[in-house]
Amino acid sequence: MLLWGLAIGALLGFVLADFASWGAVIGGIIGLGALRWLRTVVRDEIAALIDDERQTVDDIAGRRVDAALAQLRAAMMAGATVAPPATAARMPSIRTAPPVPAPEPQPLPQPEPEPSPPPEPEPESWLALGLGAVRGWIFGGNTIVRVGLVMLFVGLSFLARYAAMAGLFPIEMRLALVAAVGIALLVIGFLRRTARPDFALALQGAGVAVLYLVIFGAARFYDLLPLLPAFALMLLVCTLGCALALLQGSQILALAAFVGGFAVPLLLGGEGSSVGLFGYYAVLNVAALVLVWRTGWRLLGLIAFFATFGVMGAWVAADYTPAEYATTQAFLALFMLVHVSMAVALARARPGALGLVVDTTLLFGPALAGLGIQIAITDHLELGAAFSALGFAALYLVTAALLKRRGGPSHALMIDALLAIGVGALTLAVPLALGAEWTSSVWAIEGAAAVWVGRRQARWLPRLFGVALAAVATFLFVGAIGDNVSALPIVGRNTLGAAMIAAALLLMAWWLRAPLPVAASRWAGLHADVERMLPSPLFLAGFGMGSLAIALEAGRRAPALVTGDPPLPALAQGIQPLVVMLGVLASAAAALWAGRRLAWPVATWPSRATLPLLALVFLGRANTGHFVLERPDILFWLPALGLHILCLRRNDADGAPLAVQRPGHVGGVWLGAAMLANGLWLGIDRARLWDSGWAAVVFLASGTAVLALLAVVAGRGNRDDAAAGLRWPLDIHAIAYWWQAALPVAALVWSGALLVAFTANGNAEPLPYIPLLNPVDLVLALALGTLLLWQRCLATADPQPALAAALAGRAGTLLLAATAFLVANSVWLRLAHQYLGVAWSADAMLADPTVQAGLAIFWSLLALGVMLVAQRRGLRPLWLGGAGLLGAVVVKLLLVDLSSAEGGQRIIAFIGVGVLMLVVGYFVPLPPKPREEAA
């Protein structure tokens, strides 16, 4: 129902507003409110009717029960036995008895219905939330008045639009009439402020909005007012609204006035001076400070903050020039004083259990936004940013000192917050003067020192400050990495800075690895809960920064020997990724050793994630044309793979979770297959065989070799009792090798066999082409044999995974047989291409009659062989499969060969197939059914 109201109202509003979009919005809101009100009224009426009916039924039932009880009581008092009407005719007489006291009627127990659980509320969408906010404004107070104001506002808009289109009045008169309506709303609302407060405030708010609208339209759209007088008029309206709000104690009215006042420059625009703009905002900010100081209205302070610093930040980013520094600096200083005073004023008005409550948004927000603007406007000055940070530190530290002297103990939280901002700004002055790289490393060491002091003194606040400072230092360093030029290794500002931060983070992780004592306070308890989660992230961050130091050193450049020349790489660019890979792997192995010796589990975590680094470097090197087996790559890959295997073995020996270790083993198999293919590619590249069949089978050959190794070696552990007696890693991860790692490899071998069979033409250069003895046919045969070998491994597995059972059963056998059939057909196609000169393309093969005749004869021979084997072994289903293949041959002859083949090809095809079918019918009869099936 509400949706219908929204839709109908939007449609009517759209039409009445001359198809303007704002009419649809306002009409939808009104329609939604009207339908909601109507639904409420209807529901109330229905509920009232149901209550009346229920009351009537209860009254009738009560009267009937009372009458029956009275009749029974009278009969019993008279001493008569009253028989039911159905048995009264069968009773001979009514026997009198002495009067017996009538027992009190006992009410029958009524079972209480079980309360049904309340339905769970459905989550509201953003549209429902938005409509809820609108609905809350319309129905939150005097609904009729608010809806009437909306209707009035829309009606005035319609009137102005109609008058403009019809040309009834001059534009000055139209705007004057609308302004008169706004003034009338203000006057009526002010006069009714005592008798009807809600009604009066709504009228006054609408009047302020109408006046803003009139002034804005006169200045912006119709050029009836210059910008400066329009500014003054809007400021007057804002002042009037603030005065009315203060007089009546209405925060909503003040908010409406200030929102309009701050929006004046945005509405009027223009190319005015920044002095005028910020002078106007200065007046509004001082007025807002006075109101906040007297009333404690927090929303007023928020509007002043977001409007002032938002507009000033946007202006500085877009239009600021160094010539305007003096005035901009003066206004920014004024705004900072106003908003610091406003934060103190709000704290005075909001007492709490632990003292005066600090408004974090209005205290920290101006500090962050103001410091950003301050640094931006002093960018042209030498050390301007550093002195800006010192100035902000002085502002907040002086304010804290004054508040401590005059505020009393209730301002303790505010003083601590001011001190934190002041110390933070003072600390920030160091990097702004010295450079981010060195400063961030100094901060990290300072943070580690603070954590150490807090640990020794059992104080949580220094530990919190130290961790936060180290985190800021880390982010600052990463974002400030610049030119990595240094004449000496390791001691360059980038490498050394990252190493210092890594050392600080690792020290903090070590110091915080066990819970530390804290004070018995709520904040200390909350910090203790957070601190317990910090050691692991701190260690990982420290290890990451150490790895970054290795990468920065590998990418370091040395100054040029000749002035003016660009810096030279300290290491050859080709080996930089390899150096990083080996350095990080060595660090992970060292951390694993330290973690085992020091009983520090988190230190072993990096050694469990070495495979992604290996894979990433391998892919990057392969993509740039490098090979694993060539120098210098092989000199790095051998120790890197050794460290990877060492980490896997040590972690398995320590009982690391299988879910963590298995990916390293499984992914290692896949990486090994890719490396084997990369090595074969090296041979192809050195022999210059890129356009031959040798290059076509590289990936298939590597996958086949890996799958054969998994089936033969890891397949020995396909039973739990057999795997327990094998050596590492099969004693723990046998199933990970013969099943989890082998399954994707087998899928690639199967799909690769089909791809190679019908894309490789059999070119065996520099050797001659020999059917079945060329590289393509040999590798295809090996691939099929390896798939069969792996299938046998799955068939004998115990326990057997669900999918493994399907692959080892009839479905897998049929899939493998179909693959073998297709591969066998491709042998004839390659023979026809190499010996008969048929073009290696699908169209040429399909159109060539010799190829088609050969396929028919080959299918017939294959069917004959299958049926012969089936007949000798009594496999009736297999014989039927061969017969089906013969039927396919007949269909192919009739539909394909009969129309395309000519002369000798047609004769050979039909005669050959006919003879073979006769041979089958005579020598290979259908095997009999088994005795049980025949019975």
Side-chain angles (χ1 to χ4, degrees):
M1 188 174 182
L2 293 179
L3 292 178
W4 279 108
L6 179 65
I8 294 173
L11 181 60
L12 291 177
F14 190 57
V15 173
L16 294 176
D18 197 12
F19 304 104
S21 57
W22 59 267
V25 175
I26 295 178
I29 295 173
I30 297 174
L32 179 67
L35 263 293
R36 179 181 175 85
W37 172 77
L38 181 60
R39 187 182 67 174
T40 304
V41 171
V42 172
R43 286 182 176 178
D44 292 343
E45 291 294 332
I46 295 174
L49 291 175
I50 293 174
D51 291 340
D52 292 342
E53 292 294 333
R54 185 181 293 113
Q55 185 65 35
T56 302
V57 171
D58 291 344
D59 292 344
I60 295 174
R63 288 195 295 270
R64 290 180 178 177
V65 171
D66 292 342
L69 289 176
Q71 182 181 2
L72 179 63
R73 188 179 293 110
M76 296 181 70
M77 291 294 293
T81 302
V82 180
T87 58
R90 297 194 297 268
M91 303 267 313
S93 62
I94 298 177
R95 183 177 58 186
T96 61
V100 181
E104 291 292 333
Q106 298 294 329
L108 295 176
Q110 299 292 333
E112 297 183 0
E114 297 182 1
S116 59
E120 298 183 359
E122 296 182 358
E124 295 185 354
S125 63
W126 63 270
L127 179 60
L129 294 174
L131 294 177
V134 175
R135 186 172 60 246
W137 181 83
I138 295 177
F139 299 101
N142 194 328
T143 304
I144 297 177
V145 172
R146 296 184 177 183
V147 174
L149 289 173
V150 173
M151 297 296 292
L152 176 61
F153 193 81
V154 175
L156 290 174
S157 301
F158 285 160
L159 177 60
R161 184 180 180 86
Y162 173 77
M165 294 179 65
L168 298 180
F169 305 105
I171 188 61
E172 296 84 351
M173 182 172 293
R174 291 179 234 153
L175 292 176
L177 289 175
V178 177
V181 173
I183 294 172
L185 291 174
L186 278 173
V187 172
I188 295 173
F190 183 75
L191 295 176
R192 303 295 295 172
R193 67 186 184 280
T194 304
R196 303 284 299 277
D198 293 339
F199 176 80
L201 289 175
L203 291 183
Q204 292 173 70
V208 171
V210 169
L211 291 179
Y212 275 130
L213 178 65
V214 171
I215 299 172
F216 169 68
R220 193 65 172 170
F221 292 140
Y222 304 111
D223 295 329
L224 297 178
L225 277 177
L227 292 181
L228 189 59
F231 244 69
L233 287 176
M234 284 196 170
L235 184 59
L236 180 62
V237 172
C238 179
T239 305
L240 176 62
C242 292
L244 292 174
L246 192 60
L247 178 63
Q248 302 170 74
S250 173
Q251 182 177 193
I252 299 298
L253 191 56
L255 292 179
F258 270 95
V259 167
F262 280 109
V264 166
L266 305 179
L267 295 175
L268 296 180
E271 302 293 336
S273 169
S274 62
V275 176
L277 171 66
F278 295 127
Y280 171 74
Y281 268 32
V283 174
L284 292 180
N285 274 270
V286 172
L289 174 61
V290 172
L291 286 177
V292 170
W293 198 276
R294 295 190 59 179
T295 62
W297 289 339
R298 178 176 181 266
L299 291 177
L300 198 58
L302 291 176
I303 289 175
F305 162 61
F306 284 110
T308 301
F309 287 93
V311 171
M312 192 173 196
W315 176 82
V316 168
D319 300 324
Y320 170 75
T321 59
E324 300 170 296
Y325 168 72
T327 55
T328 307
Q329 181 66 78
F331 282 120
L332 180 59
L334 175 62
F335 293 152
M336 289 303 304
L337 288 174
V338 167
H339 284 276
V340 170
S341 303
M342 198 177 294
V344 175
L346 283 174
R348 291 174 60 252
R350 301 172 67 191
L354 300 177
L356 299 179
V357 177
V358 175
D359 192 300
T360 55
T361 303
L362 289 177
L363 183 63
F364 292 94
L368 296 175
L371 184 56
I373 296 174
Q374 178 68 39
I375 292 175
I377 66 175
T378 57
D379 185 60
H380 64 287
L381 301 176
E382 185 178 0
L383 297 179
F387 284 110
S388 297
L390 289 176
F392 267 70
L395 171 63
Y396 282 92
L397 292 176
V398 169
T399 304
L402 294 175
L403 201 60
K404 185 175 182 179
R405 175 178 297 181
R406 300 183 180 180
S410 61
H411 287 81
L413 187 58
M414 172 63 76
I415 293 172
D416 289 343
L418 291 171
L419 286 174
I421 297 175
V423 172
L426 192 61
T427 306
L428 187 62
V430 178
L432 295 175
L434 300 181
E437 293 88 347
W438 288 115
T439 303
S440 56
S441 58
V442 171
W443 280 5
I445 299 299
E446 181 183 350
V451 171
W452 180 79
V453 170
R455 176 173 172 265
R456 292 291 302 271
Q457 298 179 356
R459 296 177 60 195
W460 64 271
L461 194 56
R463 300 200 298 265
L464 174 62
F465 172 75
V467 172
L469 187 59
V472 172
T474 303
F475 285 110
L476 179 64
F477 178 86
V478 173
I481 295 176
D483 292 336
N484 192 13
V485 179
S486 176
L488 298 176
I490 301 176
V491 297
R493 61 178 183 177
N494 286 327
T495 303
L496 186 59
M500 292 172 65
I501 295 175
L505 293 172
L506 293 175
L507 284 174
M508 287 189 287
W510 173 254
W511 290 330
L512 299 177
R513 71 190 186 281
L516 299 177
V518 294
S521 68
R522 178 172 175 267
W523 293 106
L526 292 175
H527 175 265
D529 295 337
V530 175
E531 196 174 64
R532 294 188 188 96
M533 300 183 292
L534 290 179
S536 296
L538 285 174
F539 174 84
L540 296 178
F543 185 85
M545 290 301 297
S547 302
L548 179 60
I550 295 173
L552 290 172
E553 180 60 27
R556 179 177 59 87
R557 294 182 299 166
L561 299 178
V562 179
T563 304
D565 289 350
L568 301 175
L571 294 175
Q573 294 183 356
I575 67 169
Q576 290 175 1
L578 299 172
V579 172
V580 174
M581 175 186 67
L582 190 58
V584 174
L585 285 173
S587 302
L592 173 61
W593 176 83
R596 299 181 73 200
R597 292 290 300 270
L598 301 175
W600 196 13
V602 68
T604 65
W605 290 5
S607 63
R608 303 174 186 176
T610 55
L611 180 65
L613 177 61
L614 292 171
L616 185 62
V617 175
F618 169 76
L619 292 175
R621 299 290 291 175
N623 188 51
T624 55
H626 293 85
F627 300 97
V628 173
L629 297 180
E630 68 177 351
R631 290 183 299 176
D633 293 58
I634 187 64
L635 301 177
F636 291 91
W637 279 111
L638 287 178
L641 292 175
L643 288 172
H644 170 67
I645 295 173
L646 176 65
C647 292
L648 284 178
R649 183 159 189 165
R650 293 298 185 190
N651 282 310
D652 281 335
D654 293 340
L658 291 180
V660 176
Q661 288 293 100
R662 281 277 164 86
H665 290 270
V666 174
V669 172
W670 301 340
L671 180 61
M675 287 185 169
L676 178 58
N678 183 264
L680 295 178
W681 273 115
L682 178 61
I684 298 296
D685 181 72
R686 295 297 183 264
R688 301 184 182 278
L689 298 175
W690 293 108
D691 296 328
S692 67
W694 302 95
V697 298
V698 163
F699 289 110
L700 181 59
S702 60
T704 300
V706 171
L707 183 62
L709 186 65
L710 294 175
V712 173
V713 178
R716 295 179 299 160
N718 63 348
R719 297 186 307 276
D720 289 343
D721 54 349
L726 299 177
R727 300 179 62 181
W728 181 88
L730 298 180
D731 56 342
I732 303 174
H733 304 285
I735 191 173
Y737 285 92
W738 65 261
W739 171 241
Q740 295 172 355
L743 179 60
V745 177
L748 289 175
V749 169
W750 173 75
S751 58
L754 293 177
L755 182 64
V756 169
F758 293 100
T759 57
N761 59 9
N763 181 12
E765 292 180 354
L767 302 176
Y769 172 81
I770 302 175
L772 300 180
L773 295 181
N774 59 83
V776 176
D777 292 344
L778 287 174
V779 173
L780 285 173
L782 289 174
L784 293 175
T786 302
L787 288 172
L788 180 60
L789 181 65
W790 182 65
Q791 188 191 38
R792 296 290 177 85
C793 174
L794 299 183
T796 58
D798 185 25
Q800 197 176 52
L803 183 57
L807 292 176
R810 177 175 297 180
T813 302
L814 292 176
L815 180 62
L816 191 57
T819 305
F821 173 73
L822 294 174
V823 169
N825 280 272
S826 72
V827 174
W828 162 246
L829 298 179
R830 276 185 292 276
L831 188 148
H833 170 68
Q834 293 292 337
Y835 287 162
L836 302 180
V838 181
W840 185 254
S841 66
D843 294 337
M845 291 291 176
L846 291 174
D848 189 88
T850 303
V851 172
Q852 296 301 324
L855 287 176
I857 295 175
F858 172 71
W859 290 4
S860 301
L861 289 172
L862 184 61
L864 174 62
V866 170
M867 296 169 74
L868 182 61
V869 172
Q871 197 272 337
R872 290 187 176 184
R873 297 189 178 184
L875 301 176
R876 187 181 178 91
L878 185 60
W879 191 97
L880 293 175
L885 182 56
L886 273 181
V889 172
V890 174
V891 173
K892 177 181 178 298
L893 287 174
L894 295 176
L895 298 181
V896 179
D897 299 69
L898 187 62
S899 60
S900 62
E902 297 179 357
Q905 294 90 352
R906 180 187 302 176
I907 295 172
I908 293 173
F910 277 82
I911 291 178
V913 172
V915 170
L916 288 174
M917 294 185 71
L918 290 176
V919 171
V920 169
Y922 183 80
F923 291 102
V924 192
L926 178 64
K929 293 182 179 181
R931 293 183 178 180
E932 295 79 3
E933 185 179 351

